[in-house]
Amino acid sequence: MDVMETQRRKQHNFTENNMWALLWHGLPVAALLLWGAFCITNSLWYDEAYSASMVSLPWKRLIYITATDDHSPFYYVLLKIFYHLCGGGTHFWALKLMSVLFMLGYMLLGKYYVAKLFDRKISVYFMLFSLLMPIFSVQAGNVRMYAVALFFLTLTGLSAYDIFREPTRKKWIVFCIASIGTVYCHTFALIQTFLFYLLFFAVILICHKKELIKGYFISGFTVALVFSPWLAVTIRQFVLRMRYDDGSTAELATLYSVMDYCKEWFSAVETPIGIVVLLGMALCLVLSYGAVDWVRQNHNIAPAIAFGTFALTGIVGGVISATVNNCFMGRYAFPGMGFVMLWYAVGFAQITENTKGKSRKIWAAGLLGTAGLCFLLQYTSEIRLEYDDGLETYENFVEEYMTENDAIIGPYTHTIFLNVYHPELHYYTIAYKLYSLPFVNTEALSSYSQLDAYDNLWYICFQGGYPNEMEDEYSYEQVLEFHYMYYDFAIFRLEKLEEE
């Protein structure tokens, strides 16, 4: 009987080890396949089209625009180089692919670096929750700087903990380079890095790690020195926000804004799924309870410092939203999501390892089932959005009815971001911010005489709108309605009124 029991246990351990090995090796591949589905489409929503237009600009113009109404040019520089290496043009798969590759890099940090600093089970949980977290499906193929910032900030945090355990010159260099990459990615990534540095310094002092103080200040001074040319620009951007935005209460955060933040952290602010938001919040509470228990039991505050950085960023963002300008806190705080996933991983490990028998299986199935359901609902929603035929409808209309000697007018830039697909056409905006207008061939409409040279005039706006401001000079007829990404559009054909 003892022999049979021993053989059964060996077989069980062998099967379990094979399962863990399969997950450890397979999760990055699964992430690449699932997130890769976002990078083989040509669909770009407004902010993504903004990025696409930025990389089409000359270097000097790109730097100028980022210096007046945007984040630092670091992401756009990387994107421009990668885009042109992939052939450029109006096929934008390369723009999405770069984000997917940085997301893969993040998963590999989870596979190797988290396994080194903790263990393989924590590494598997880290990758698993990263794959299942709805916001990762939203941002994975997003043509914005969030995936790049996620990679660099996660590397910053993991290398800091590696230094805390056993400092070496090589680790300090990695920590310093990762920090520079992070602060140059995004304004809120800069804020998160600054908060993380403060918490890291506090831990060094509390734990009496005097040998780390020299390296800490050398690294911090280096990062500050390298970022200093852009610090004045960052301050100027905040001043512009305060001075030139209209300051209405609609631009400031309210209690409804807090719900918007939750929608984006756990789902998507433009296309939220209510059950995903609620289940995501519940999952966060349960795993946080387990994570606190893990930190206490293992006497390891690294995950708490990481999660604390993210929480403090949320608080700072809330203050900025309430006093300066309402922020898209879900995506702005996203670079710190690697810290949250570490928090989730240790929480899940604590809950499952401290329960036995059927209870363990029930807890594991309940938590992973909840995360899996949230992922499936959000992922299918994002896939439907990416593969909607709205862009094809618009493209067919342009091909059939528009010529290179036509002009398209819109009331503001959000309605004519589709010009990135047709840079040869002429686009005019009626209302705009001059310093934040990078679109190719997009000009301000200051006089109707500008339009006299064109064969046909078109007006594009959101459904429900009309070219009312032009009715004194032009008659109009609606010729197309279509839905694309988050918006419903209407296109009108304009005809100049005959003079009486």
Side-chain angles (χ1 to χ4, degrees):
M1 189 71 175
D2 291 338
V3 174
M4 291 179 64
E5 179 64 20
T6 300
Q7 289 178 340
R8 189 190 68 79
R9 287 182 178 178
K10 284 183 178 179
Q11 181 63 33
H12 174 75
N13 291 336
F14 176 78
T15 304
E16 189 177 65
N17 289 337
N18 280 347
M19 181 194 70
W20 285 110
L22 179 63
L23 287 171
W24 192 69
H25 289 297
L27 282 172
V29 177
L32 180 60
L33 294 175
L34 288 169
W35 293 336
F38 297 114
C39 78
I40 56 178
T41 76
N42 213 33
S43 297
L44 301 174
W45 63 290
Y46 172 72
D47 280 6
E48 291 182 293
Y50 186 96
S51 298
S53 66
M54 289 289 281
V55 300
S56 69
L57 298 175
W59 289 103
K60 185 177 179 180
R61 179 66 177 162
L62 186 153
I63 301 297
Y64 169 76
I65 291 173
T66 55
T68 51
D69 185 44
D70 207 4
H71 308 290
S72 80
F74 174 61
Y75 165 73
Y76 297 112
V77 168
L78 292 180
L79 190 66
K80 185 176 177 69
I81 293 171
F82 189 80
Y83 172 64
H84 287 296
L85 286 175
C86 292
T90 56
H91 300 287
F92 300 119
W93 59 269
L95 305 181
K96 292 172 174 285
L97 178 62
M98 195 180 90
S99 291
V100 172
L101 291 178
F102 269 99
M103 292 294 288
L104 176 62
Y106 160 81
M107 288 293 281
L108 293 178
L109 287 178
K111 179 179 179 180
Y112 294 109
Y113 218 164
V114 173
K116 172 191 173 183
L117 299 177
F118 296 88
D119 57 49
R120 277 203 178 186
K121 282 191 175 182
I122 299 288
S123 170
V124 167
Y125 297 151
F126 177 94
M127 292 188 288
L128 186 59
F129 280 106
S130 296
L131 183 60
L132 297 179
M133 191 71 177
I135 193 173
F136 280 73
S137 292
V138 176
Q139 299 297 342
N142 196 336
V143 187
R144 298 296 289 161
M145 62 286 297
Y146 307 118
V148 182
L150 173 72
F151 172 81
F152 279 112
L153 187 55
T154 303
L155 179 57
T156 299
L158 293 175
S159 58
Y161 181 47
D162 201 7
I163 289 168
F164 185 83
R165 295 172 68 206
E166 187 180 354
T168 65
R169 180 178 295 179
K170 181 180 178 180
K171 294 175 185 177
W172 278 115
I173 292 173
V174 171
F175 175 67
C176 186
I177 293 174
S179 300
I180 292 170
T182 305
V183 299
Y184 264 110
C185 275
H186 189 278
T187 303
F188 271 88
L190 162 68
I191 292 172
Q192 288 190 82
T193 306
F194 176 73
L195 294 171
F196 180 78
Y197 263 69
L198 291 180
L199 293 178
F200 187 30
F201 186 59
V203 171
I204 289 173
L205 295 179
I206 292 171
C207 296
H208 305 290
K209 290 273 190 176
K210 295 181 180 179
E211 69 276 14
L212 301 182
I213 293 179
K214 180 180 178 181
Y216 173 88
F217 278 107
I218 290 175
S219 176
F221 178 77
T222 302
V223 175
L225 184 65
V226 173
F227 187 75
S228 59
W230 204 257
L231 181 60
V233 175
T234 303
I235 294 172
R236 182 172 180 271
Q237 289 170 359
F238 275 108
V239 171
L240 282 172
R241 292 287 185 185
M242 291 185 289
R243 184 178 299 167
Y244 296 116
D245 285 339
D246 62 25
S248 67
T249 56
E251 291 191 1
L252 300 180
T254 64
L255 289 177
Y256 292 104
S257 302
V258 176
M259 194 59 214
D260 283 342
Y261 304 156
C262 292
K263 287 177 184 177
E264 196 160 19
W265 277 328
F266 299 110
S267 181
V269 73
E270 287 89 0
T271 53
I273 302 173
I275 189 65
V276 172
V277 176
L278 294 176
L279 289 177
M281 295 173 72
L283 192 67
C284 180
L285 289 174
V286 173
L287 291 174
S288 292
Y289 177 85
V292 170
D293 202 30
W294 187 95
V295 168
R296 289 166 52 192
Q297 185 170 310
N298 290 272
H299 304 290
N300 184 339
I301 63 170
I305 296 299
F307 187 75
T309 302
F310 183 87
L312 287 174
T313 304
I315 294 172
V316 171
V319 172
I320 293 174
S321 294
T323 58
V324 179
N325 191 273
N326 198 9
C327 304
F328 298 103
M329 274 305 298
R331 67 197 67 165
Y332 285 1
F334 178 73
M337 272 291 169
F339 294 164
V340 179
M341 293 304 97
L342 179 61
W343 184 249
Y344 277 22
V346 298
F348 185 79
Q350 185 70 9
I351 291 171
T352 55
E353 291 173 12
N354 279 18
T355 52
K356 297 180 180 180
K358 289 184 178 181
S359 296
R360 179 181 182 180
K361 292 181 179 179
I362 291 172
W363 273 108
L367 292 170
L368 291 179
T370 300
L373 175 62
C374 292
F375 164 77
L376 286 174
L377 292 173
Q378 195 67 54
Y379 184 80
T380 53
S381 173
E382 296 304 312
I383 286 292
R384 284 195 300 269
L385 195 67
E386 285 284 344
Y387 288 88
D388 183 79
D389 61 0
L391 177 60
E392 185 179 357
T393 301
Y394 179 71
E395 295 275 53
N396 291 338
F397 180 84
V398 171
E399 184 177 353
E400 184 174 357
Y401 295 104
M402 295 186 186
T403 71
E404 290 188 13
N405 201 40
D406 288 5
I408 301 177
I409 302 102
Y412 40 86
T413 56
H414 279 71
T415 58
I416 57 171
F417 70 84
L418 291 166
N419 77 311
V420 295
Y421 299 105
H422 308 97
E424 73 282 357
L425 294 177
H426 301 271
Y427 290 81
Y428 291 89
T429 50
I430 295 173
Y432 70 106
K433 289 182 178 179
L434 179 61
Y435 59 84
S436 62
L437 196 66
F439 290 95
V440 180
N441 290 338
T442 307
E443 303 172 46
L445 180 60
S446 56
S447 171
Y448 292 136
S449 62
Q450 291 174 256
L451 308 176
D452 291 342
Y454 298 108
D455 294 337
N456 299 293
L457 301 179
W458 311 90
Y459 185 95
I460 185 168
C461 60
F462 295 131
Q463 283 187 25
Y466 297 92
N468 299 335
E469 63 272 27
M470 306 185 72
E471 61 186 6
D472 291 339
E473 297 282 339
Y474 298 92
S475 63
Y476 53 85
E477 174 190 9
Q478 183 171 315
V479 292
L480 181 70
E481 284 187 350
F482 66 100
H483 176 84
Y484 179 59
M485 297 300 281
Y486 307 123
Y487 308 113
D488 293 307
F489 292 97
I491 296 180
F492 294 83
R493 183 172 186 144
L494 303 180
E495 294 284 350
K496 193 171 182 64
L497 295 173
E498 294 183 4
E499 295 184 4
E500 296 181 359

